[in-house]
Amino acid sequence: MPILNEDTLEQAALGWLGELGWEVAHGPDISPGDLHTPGSERESYRQVVLAGRLCAAIQRLNPHIPAAAQEDALRQVLAPNIPGQVQANRQFHRWLVEGVPVEFQKDGETRGDRVRLVDFADSRRNDWLAVNQLSIQGPKKVRRPDVILYLNGLPIVVIELKNPADEHADIWAAFNQLQAYKEDIPDLFVYNELLV
């Protein structure tokens, strides 16, 4: 019988997610490297959104929107420029649910539309990725959450696991760890929809 510890729980969670159809990746494998490093999906350790996956999802889900407007939506999501973590998270949630508002020229008129970030009607059209041990550089510290769940390149779920054999590693310890993450790597929580 395997020893039950935090790593065992993490690997089990990744296995369950994989069985549900999630792609699974190890954080160091998608971390910054040169442009020719296989698997690298981040330009820097500060980057929390997987921009390539988000760009591909925007193109796939919004073929009726001109490319320039798609790029505008991508820029808005990557750099929301909204003061305050809570306000930025609320804005992102609206964009996630309703789409990102854009304007473009068509037939000599300025038109408005919304760029969808997620296909809510057909989940198979979305990109599902579970990443463990992803190092993120915050303003002062580097943190490495146990598991981050990405939807179309957007880090929407953060999972904190604790060793069940440690009597001090309870739900409150996990809660406190998540609060520390909010403080130390605030960029991740602009996009977060759920803490587990």
Side-chain angles (χ1 to χ4, degrees):
M1 181 175 208
I3 296 173
L4 190 58
N5 59 32
E6 189 172 324
D7 183 60
T8 306
L9 290 173
E10 188 174 298
Q11 295 310 313
L14 293 172
W16 296 326
L17 289 162
E19 288 172 10
L20 291 171
W22 290 71
E23 181 183 349
V24 175
H26 185 54
D29 295 340
I30 66 166
S31 289
D34 67 42
L35 295 176
H36 305 292
T37 303
S40 178
E41 295 197 42
R42 301 163 66 207
E43 293 178 12
S44 77
Y45 284 96
R46 293 190 70 90
Q47 185 179 5
V48 296
V49 173
L50 303 179
R53 289 177 185 257
L54 177 58
C55 182
I58 287 173
Q59 291 171 354
R60 182 176 62 252
L61 301 177
N62 301 279
H64 62 288
I65 303 283
Q70 291 178 6
E71 290 169 13
D72 179 44
L74 179 64
R75 275 192 299 276
Q76 288 183 64
V77 173
L78 294 177
N81 198 22
I82 298 165
Q85 189 180 70
V86 172
Q87 291 81 0
N89 183 267
R90 285 181 180 155
Q91 179 61 65
F92 170 73
H93 178 78
R94 278 191 294 277
W95 289 341
L96 189 67
V97 173
E98 300 170 2
V100 181
V102 293
E103 290 186 345
F104 52 89
Q105 294 293 315
K106 186 172 182 181
D107 301 327
E109 294 181 16
T110 300
R111 306 257 174 115
D113 207 335
R114 292 194 173 263
V115 171
R116 295 185 312 149
L117 303 177
V118 176
D119 189 331
F120 289 107
D122 184 356
S123 65
R124 295 170 297 177
R125 295 189 68 213
N126 295 312
D127 177 27
W128 305 90
L129 176 68
V131 180
N132 72 320
Q133 303 300 317
L134 184 72
S135 294
I136 300 170
Q137 174 67 56
K140 297 178 184 173
K141 291 184 177 184
V142 174
R143 291 291 193 163
R144 199 173 56 232
D146 292 328
V147 179
I148 300 174
L149 302 183
Y150 282 88
L151 172 58
N152 294 336
L154 299 163
I156 61 166
V157 179
V158 177
I159 300 174
E160 177 62 21
L161 302 166
K162 291 296 176 199
N163 184 349
D166 181 350
E167 66 184 61
H168 301 291
D170 59 11
I171 193 167
W172 295 111
F175 173 82
N176 290 334
Q177 184 69 47
L178 290 168
Q179 300 313 303
Y181 289 160
K182 283 188 202 177
E183 191 71 29
D184 295 339
I185 47 175
D187 291 350
L188 179 62
F189 296 92
V190 168
Y191 306 96
N192 181 256
E193 294 289 306
L194 184 63
L195 298 173
V196 179

